[in-house]
Amino acid sequence: SIYRVSLSLNTLDKLNPTKLLLSGYSYATINGESISADNTNVGDNVELTAYNAKFKATITEKEKIC
């Protein structure tokens, strides 16, 4: 139905990576790969990507939360 298509499009729109970055979110990578507690260590250099800028940072602390 039209309603289901509209709902699906709305859901997809909310998950649009650019819109998420516009909302203030960012993501972190090391050598272009997404990071997690399992593949990072204190002292690693990461790149943070926001909507309109990239930042370089060094991990100074690490606490696995789940």
Side-chain angles (χ1 to χ4, degrees):
S1 75
I2 298 287
Y3 174 75
R4 292 185 90 187
V5 170
S6 177
L7 185 61
S8 294
L9 290 174
N10 188 33
T11 301
L12 285 173
D13 190 51
K14 288 179 182 176
L15 296 174
N16 178 323
T18 301
K19 285 204 173 189
L20 290 172
L21 294 175
L22 277 168
S23 297
Y25 288 93
S26 63
Y27 64 91
T29 59
I30 295 177
N31 298 323
E33 298 290 325
S34 296
I35 67 168
S36 72
D38 297 328
N39 70 353
T40 55
N41 295 297
V42 171
D44 286 350
N45 295 312
V46 298
E47 184 173 89
L48 304 170
T49 302
Y51 173 69
N52 62 352
K54 289 189 177 190
F55 307 92
K56 297 204 183 281
T58 302
I59 297 174
T60 59
E61 292 182 30
K62 177 179 168 179
E63 177 184 350
K64 192 170 181 177
I65 57 174
C66 54

